[in-house]
Amino acid sequence: LFVTEDSFQLLVKRQIARLKTPSVQCSELVYDELRRIAAQCENLTPELGRFPDLKLRLSECTRDLIRRKLEPTKEMIANLIHIELSYIKTTHPDFISSAKAMALAKNQASQQNESRQKELLAGLTETLNSITVAGDDKLPDVPPVLRSQDIGDYDKGTSETRIIKTLIQSYFNIVQKIVKDAVPKAVMHFLVQGCRNSIQGELVKSLYKANLFEDLMSEEPHTKKEREELDKMIKVLRKAVKVVKAVQDHSVAG
């Protein structure tokens, strides 16, 4: 072809590299959603409200785990793009052949030429009609004649541009299909499944410590006061029950 393999690879790699940013953004969107779900789970567990320190530590451990799982996910996605950039496989079965690319370019050129001819014919007809209506026998100046060589060079350059564009688009579509399939799988494996499989062990490792029990299970002052008052009331009621029972027993015995 008119373009060297090195030039083709350079042009294709520029397009492939553009896939990295939206792919990484995909993992960040899932990361934000996991954080939202974690916060929602905390709100759906009102029992944790009794123990503010425990709730805070649970939230911190969960967010920290999700954040740590995001980094290997981004690294894997970047590696997927680097893999595609490392080797441009022009022998891929779905890659369009040079002959087919030329045929498509020729077809496009033919369609464009037909469109240009129709536009020229319409413009010429309009010009002739305006001359007839004005009644002016003097024809407008005829533009300089274009050299056939100039036209041929222009058509050749346009055709070559179409061919290289078709080849680049064909290979880019192949890589795009691969990336669209691999990125969600990488996000699920490293981020979603990674958090789900590690969350229980991470919480046990961080919170299940004897020296933390007292702090984690400490209640808020008003909750503690309310609970102590209820305990006192229960004791009083139990004593009252004993007194009532003793009176009943004494009455029965009398």
Side-chain angles (χ1 to χ4, degrees):
L1 275 179
F2 60 93
V3 62
T4 64
E5 184 176 356
D6 291 340
S7 300
F8 172 74
Q9 290 191 10
L10 178 62
L11 294 172
V12 170
K13 287 181 178 180
R14 288 181 180 178
Q15 300 302 315
I16 295 175
R18 296 174 60 187
L19 294 172
K20 183 177 180 180
T21 299
S23 299
V24 172
Q25 288 177 350
C26 177
S27 65
E28 293 174 346
L29 290 174
V30 177
Y31 166 77
D32 293 337
E33 183 65 17
L34 287 176
R35 286 173 59 92
R36 187 190 67 80
I37 293 174
Q40 192 176 37
C41 291
E42 294 175 8
N43 297 331
L44 294 176
T45 312
E47 294 81 2
L48 287 175
R50 289 182 55 194
F51 312 103
D53 291 340
L54 176 61
K55 183 178 180 179
L56 179 61
R57 290 295 299 273
L58 281 171
S59 178
E60 290 176 350
C61 290
T62 303
R63 289 198 301 266
D64 182 65
L65 175 63
I66 298 174
R67 184 176 61 254
R68 284 189 282 110
K69 292 298 181 181
L70 178 63
E71 294 307 318
T73 305
K74 287 184 176 181
E75 184 178 353
M76 181 60 191
I77 291 174
N79 287 335
L80 290 173
I81 304 301
H82 295 158
I83 288 171
E84 297 298 331
L85 291 172
S86 64
Y87 177 59
I88 304 301
K89 186 180 178 182
T90 55
T91 58
H92 193 282
D94 294 336
F95 184 57
I96 190 172
S97 63
S98 300
K100 190 173 182 180
M102 291 179 181
L104 289 174
K106 184 177 180 181
N107 185 35
Q108 292 176 0
S110 177
Q111 293 177 355
Q112 186 175 0
N113 287 335
E114 291 179 2
S115 177
R116 288 169 57 190
Q117 289 177 1
K118 290 180 180 179
E119 292 177 358
L120 290 174
L121 181 60
L124 180 60
T125 303
E126 183 178 355
T127 302
L128 292 176
N129 290 337
S130 64
I131 294 174
T132 303
V133 172
D136 190 356
D137 295 335
K138 183 179 178 181
L139 295 176
D141 294 335
V142 179
V145 179
L146 296 177
R147 293 180 300 169
S148 60
Q149 182 180 358
D150 295 337
I151 298 176
D153 292 341
Y154 172 79
D155 291 341
K156 181 180 179 182
T158 304
S159 178
E160 291 178 349
T161 302
R162 289 196 185 98
I163 293 173
I164 189 62
K165 182 178 180 180
T166 301
L167 293 173
I168 293 173
Q169 186 64 51
S170 175
Y171 194 84
F172 178 78
N173 289 340
I174 296 172
V175 177
Q176 186 181 40
K177 183 178 179 181
I178 295 173
V179 172
K180 287 172 67 175
D181 179 70
V183 168
K185 294 178 179 179
V187 173
M188 282 297 299
H189 176 73
F190 288 93
L191 186 56
V192 179
Q193 298 284 4
C195 290
R196 190 184 71 172
N197 296 335
S198 304
I199 184 65
Q200 183 176 359
E202 190 70 20
L203 291 176
V204 171
K205 178 182 176 181
S206 301
L207 304 179
Y208 196 73
K209 299 178 181 179
N211 60 332
L212 296 178
F213 288 166
E214 184 176 354
D215 294 335
L216 296 178
M217 302 307 295
S218 61
E219 299 174 311
E220 291 187 355
H222 71 275
T223 303
K224 184 178 181 180
K225 182 178 180 181
E226 182 179 356
R227 180 174 55 79
E228 291 175 349
E229 290 177 354
L230 291 174
D231 288 340
K232 291 179 181 179
M233 185 177 295
I234 290 173
K235 292 178 181 179
V236 171
L237 291 174
R238 285 176 178 173
K239 289 180 180 180
V241 170
K242 290 180 180 180
V243 172
V244 171
K245 185 177 181 182
V247 171
Q248 289 177 347
D249 293 342
H250 180 72
S251 300
V252 172

